Amino acid sequence: MVTALIKSLGILTKPIREAQGSDGQSTQTALVLALQRNLSELRESMSAGKELEEARRLLEEVRRDSTWFCSDANDLTWCFVQECLLLLLCLARHLNRLVEAFHQIPAAPNPATPEAAPPLPPDVLSVAQQKTLGAVLQFVVTLGLCPYLAPGVGVALGLRSAFGAAVEGAVRHDVAPTGERRLLITANVLLEVSALSSLATPVFTRHLGDIMAALCQLAYRPQRPEGDGTKSNKGLTVEERKTCKEALHSLLGKVYQPIVIKELLVLQGGPKQASSGSRAGCAGEGGKALSQAPSWLRRLCGQLLSDRLMQPQGVQAVVRAILEGTRAGGDSDWRKCDAVAKILAACPQQSLSAESYYSQVCPQVLELLHFKDKLTAQQFQRVATRAALIMVQDQPEFAERFLLFPLLSPLRRCAQGTGDYLSQDAVEEWELTRCIEDVYKICVVGNNPSEVLLKALADVYSTLFNLFCFTKQNVSHLRTSCQEILIWCLSHSERSASLLLLKRLCGLLGEVVGVRHGFQFSPGSEGGARLTVRDLISDEDDALYEKVSGEQWRVQCLVQLLEEMKDSDLPGEFFLLLLQDLTAVAAEQDEVEQEVNTSSMTLLELEQHLLGRAGGHGQRLALLQALAIMCEGLPHTQLLCKPTQVVGFIASMLQRACVSLERGTDSPVESQTLSMGMGLVATLLSGAAELTADDYSSMAALLPHLEQISQQYQEPVIQELASDLRATIATHGAYRPTTVPKTASQHSTAHSLTQPAAHSSNSAIPQVPSQSISHPKHTTDPSVTPKVKDFQTAGGIPNPGISEALRSKAFSECLVEACDPDVPTRAVALRSLTHSVRDGDEEALQNKEKLLTLFLENLEHEDSFVYLSAIQGLAVLADSFPEQILQRLLGEYQTGATVGPPKRERSLETRLKVGEVLMRACRAMGDLAPHYGRPLIGVFLSGTRDKDSSVRASSLSNLGELCQRLNFSLGPLAQELSTCLTALIKTDREAEVRRAAVHVIALVLRGLSDKTTQVLGDVLSELYRALKGVVRSDPDDVAVLHAQLALEELDDVMRRFIFPQQKLEKKIVVLP
C-alpha cells in the first residue's frame, strides 16, 4: 500500500518535458499543461491498473470523509493541490495504522546475535520515497499555501525564484473556494500529516516558515465585517481562528526553539526603508531583501519572540538562533553579538513588568558563561558579557538584584553566610571557581567599569583578597584571575575609594573581615579553593602566632599586588598616604603618652580606655609594618614615579621634622630625616630634573615647613639653607643662591658613599628617595648629637662656607675616623678612602701601605658593614697596584698569618675574607689574568690541600674564577689542574669541597667555550668520567646538580665542535 501511494504521488509530480513545445509557449502555460496531464495520468492509472486498486479505494474513502473537498473547482492548480492533499492524508493514515499494529503486536525474538539492529518501524521511508514526498510537499506549499498569503506575510514566491512569478500567475483567485479557505485547508492537512513523526521531519525542516506564516495570517489577521458570519462569508469563523491560534502555539512549543526564533525573525520582515521597486530590480539574484511585514504581524512576532525569550532556556535559544552558523572572530560576529546583547538587555514592551522580565532573563544570561565548547563558549560569553554590562549601565536596580547578587553570592556567603558548622564545605569548590571565572569574564574581559559594578565588587573585595592570599600560598588556577580582578577594581575605582580600600586591607581601619569566623579557605581537589571549617587551636601562643603571621602575609600579598600595577600612580599615592599617617602618629604620640587620671573612672570606662589604647598601638604597628614591607618589596621607581610624588615624600619628611621641633625633641633619626629632606629639595631645584610650573606649584606645600625650620631650628647653617630653598621655590627658580647646587652635589656624593655596594652615585630624582629611606638604618647610636660635623660625615647638609677648607683635611680625617669605635662612622670612612683610591687621589695613592694595613685590620671587625667595606677597599687597591698588593694578600691567605711585623695568626674567618678579596681581584683582572694570575694558581692549588674544608672550598672557588679567564694560558697547567680536581671529587669527604671542585670544571668549560678542545684536549676525557661518576654515585644532591650543569656545558661545546654553525659568507678576491 505504501509503495502504491508513493507511486501515485510520483505520477502527480512527474516532470513532463514535452509540455514545453517548440511553439514558444510561456512558462505559465507549460505549468498548467503539465499539471493537467499529470492529473489525467493519475486517474487513468487508478482506473485501469490493478496495482493501484488499494490506493484508489483508500483515496475514495478519504475523499468521502473530507468535508473540505470541492469536486467542482474551476481552478486547475487547486484541483492538483486537492489531489496531493488527499494522497498525503491517505499515506499518513495508512502509516499510522501500520505503526499502531507494530506497537500492539509483540516483537518476535531475534535469533541473531545481541548486536543485531532492531526491526525497523513500518513508517520508515526509503531515500527515493522521501525524495518523492519532498517534491509533493513542495508542490502543495507552492500552489496551495504561498499564493494565498497576504502581501508582506512570509517570503513571497517572486523573491524565491523566477519560477515563482509563473506560479502566482497560474493560480485563479476569482473562483471558489476563497483564498483564505484554501489556505486553511492546506495548513490543516499539513498539520495532520505532520502528526506522524516520520512525515513531520520533511514537513518542518523545509516548510516550517510557510506553515507558521499561514497560521499567523489565519489566526491574527484583522478582518473587515462583510457578512453575517455564515459560510458564504469570505472570512473565517471565530472557532476556526481559535483553532488556528491553538495550532500555532502548539507548533511553536514542540519545534526546536532556535529554528522557531529564526522563522519568527524572518516573518517580522525587513526594515521600512525596503521598497518594492528595489526588490523587483533584484529578481533573479541570489540574496534579496525581505519585504516589509504588516504592522499586526510585526506586533505578533514581537510578542511571540518575547514569549520564546522568557521561557526556560529562552535566552540560549535566542542566541543560538542568531549566532549559529557564524564564524567566531569576524567583524560581523562582533556586531551580531552586540546586537543580541542589546536585545537581551532591553525589556520588551509586551512584558508584564520589567521586574518579572529581568528576574527570568538575568539567571539565563549568567548561564551563558558556563559553556565548555570552545566556539560556542566564545560567542556565548561575548553576548553574556555585553548583555550584563548593558544591564548594569541601563537598569542598575534590577541588575544589582537579579544579576550581580547571584553572581557574587558565593563570595558573600564566605563572609556573611550562616552555614552549618557541622558541614565541612560551607562553599563548594565549583561554586567559588565558577564565581571567580564569571566575575573575571564580566569585569576584566568586558572592561566597562560602572559605579554599580565597582560598588558590588567593593562589598566582597576583602573576601576576594583573602582568596588571593590563599592562592599565593598554594598552587591554584584561581590566582591569576583573582589578581586581575583585584587590580581591575583598584585601577577603575575612584582614587579616594581605592586608597581607603588599601588601608582597610592593611588593617589600618580595624580588623580585616574577609571570611566569617570559624571558617577558612582550603585547597580543592581540582586546583581551586573551598570554604571549610577551621580547626580550633587550643594553644593561645599558636593562635596569636597564626594571627600575626596571617596579617603580615596579607600585607605582603597586597604589596605584590601593587607591584603588578606598574603603570599606575596608586602605589606611590598609597605610600605617601601612609607617610602622612606616620606623621600624624608622631604628632599624637605626646597626647597618647600623657598620664590619664583613672581613679575616677568606672570599671567599664577603664576597660574601654585600655582597649582604645591597645587598639591604637595595634594600628600604629600595622602602619609601620605596611611601610616597612612596601619599602622592601616595591622599587623606588614605582613608589615615586612623578616629581609631584617626590615632593609629597619630601613634604612628609619635613613635616615630621617640624613635629619634632614643636615637641622640642631631637634625635639622630629625626636629624637625618631633616638632612635628607632638605638635600632632596636641593637636588630637585638644582636641575636634576626639568621642573614645570605645575611642579613648582606642588612644591608650594613645602614653604610653610621650610619657613618653620628657618625660624625654629637651632643650627644657623640649616636655617640659612631652609630660607634659601624657600626663596628658590617661591620665585620658581628665578632666584637661586649658590648654597642650593652645592648642597645638592654634596648630598648625592655623601649618599653614594653610604651605600653598601654602590660604585657610583645615583642622582636621578626617583632614585634619591629610595636612598633616603634606607639611610637611617646606618645611624644606630642614639648618643650622637646632631651637629654640623655630624651632618657632614653622615651625608647630610655641609657648611658651604668651610667646605673648601675641609676638603684638604678629608683624607687625614678619614684615616682617623676609620679607627673610630662607632660602626657607621668607621664604615663611611672606609668607603670614602676606597672612593679616593678609585678616583686616583694623589694623597691616597702615596699612602697605599697605610691603607693596606688599615683595610687588613678592619677585616677582623665583626660588623658586616665594616668588613665588607674593607674587602671592597682591598679589591680596589689590588686593582690599582696588582704586583705589590697581590703578593701581600697571597702571603696572608697562604700562611694564615700576618706578613709584616709583628707576626700573629689570622683567624679562619679573616683568612676566608682575604680569599673573597682575591676572588674580586681575579674578576677585575680581565685580559691581564694570564700575566698576574700565574702566582695565584700555585697558591690556590696548594690551598686545596689545606686541613680545613672551608679553606679548600674557598681556594677552589677562587681557582675557578681565575681559570675561566686564562684562556690558552691554562694549557700547560691543564694536567695538574685535572689531577687535582678529579682527586678531590673522588676522595674528599666534605660535600662542599666536592661541590666546589665540580663547579670549577663548569666554570672552566664556560670560560673556554669553543677553545675547550684545544686547551683541555688531553684531559677532557678524565674530566668527563669524573663528572659522570658524580652524577651516578655522589650522595650529595647539590654536587650532582653542579655535575649535570657541567655536563650540559660540555655537551654544548662538543656539539658546536662536531656540528659547526654554517655561515653564509661572501669572499671577494682581487685578481692580479
Side-chain angles (χ1 to χ4, degrees), residues 569-804:
D569 298 336
L570 183 61
E573 295 185 10
F574 182 58
F575 178 67
L576 295 179
L577 179 63
L578 294 183
L579 290 178
Q580 294 174 6
D581 292 346
L582 182 63
T583 304
V585 168
E588 297 172 358
Q589 187 174 359
D590 286 343
E591 300 178 4
V592 174
E593 293 179 353
Q594 287 179 358
E595 291 294 335
V596 179
N597 186 12
T598 59
S599 59
S600 60
M601 292 185 180
T602 63
L603 291 177
L604 181 59
E605 292 175 348
L606 180 60
E607 182 182 3
Q608 292 177 352
H609 171 70
L610 294 177
L611 289 177
R613 291 188 61 181
H617 288 308
Q619 291 187 5
R620 284 192 287 273
L621 289 175
L623 174 61
L624 293 175
Q625 176 180 256
L627 277 172
I629 295 178
M630 286 193 70
C631 293
E632 182 180 357
L634 293 179
H636 59 270
T637 55
Q638 190 173 6
L639 284 177
L640 304 173
C641 57
K642 297 192 303 184
T644 54
Q645 292 180 341
V646 178
V647 170
F649 174 74
I650 297 171
S652 64
M653 298 177 68
L654 296 181
Q655 186 178 1
R656 285 199 300 276
C658 293
V659 170
S660 176
L661 291 177
E662 293 174 355
R663 289 160 47 190
T665 59
D666 201 2
S667 67
V669 174
E670 292 168 350
S671 299
Q672 289 285 358
T673 301
L674 176 61
S675 170
M676 281 175 270
M678 298 184 69
L680 288 174
V681 177
T683 304
L684 278 174
L685 297 175
S686 63
E690 184 177 354
L691 297 179
T692 62
D694 295 336
D695 296 333
Y696 278 109
S697 300
S698 64
M699 294 177 71
L702 305 178
L703 297 178
H705 306 307
L706 291 174
E707 182 178 6
Q708 183 178 359
I709 294 171
S710 64
Q711 295 176 357
Q712 299 181 7
Y713 201 79
Q714 59 184 356
E715 294 291 340
V717 177
I718 302 301
Q719 291 181 359
E720 180 185 359
L721 180 58
S723 178
D724 292 343
L725 292 175
R726 182 173 176 272
T728 305
I729 295 174
T731 59
H732 286 202
Y735 170 72
R736 184 173 299 175
T738 57
T739 56
V740 175
K742 290 181 179 179
T743 302
S745 61
Q746 294 171 5
H747 172 80
S748 300
T749 304
H751 275 284
S752 68
L753 294 176
T754 58
Q755 294 300 315
H759 296 285
S760 63
S761 63
N762 297 323
S763 59
I765 290 302
Q767 296 177 355
V768 174
S770 69
Q771 297 170 356
S772 64
I773 291 171
S774 60
H775 185 74
K777 299 179 183 178
H778 306 328
T779 306
T780 58
D781 189 359
S783 63
V784 179
T785 57
K787 298 181 180 179
V788 178
K789 181 179 177 181
D790 298 328
F791 286 121
Q792 296 167 354
T793 57
I797 308 301
N799 189 342
I802 60 175
S803 58
E804 296 295 335

Side-chain angles (χ1 to χ4, degrees), residues 318-335:
V318 171
V319 178
R320 286 187 182 276
I322 300 177
L323 297 183
E324 272 186 347
T326 60
R327 295 183 178 179
D331 183 46
S332 61
D333 181 56
W334 279 97
R335 293 181 180 178

Side-chain angles (χ1 to χ4, degrees), residues 956-957 959-960 963 977 981 995-1005:
L956 288 171
S957 178
L959 188 63
C963 289
L977 180 65
L981 295 178
R995 297 174 191 172
V998 175
H999 187 57
V1000 171
I1001 299 177
L1003 290 177
V1004 171
L1005 294 175

Side-chain angles (χ1 to χ4, degrees), residues 257-276:
Q257 291 303 298
I259 298 179
V260 171
I261 294 172
K262 283 183 180 180
E263 297 299 340
L264 288 175
L265 291 174
V266 174
L267 284 179
Q268 273 191 319
K272 295 182 179 181
Q273 290 80 3
S275 61
S276 59

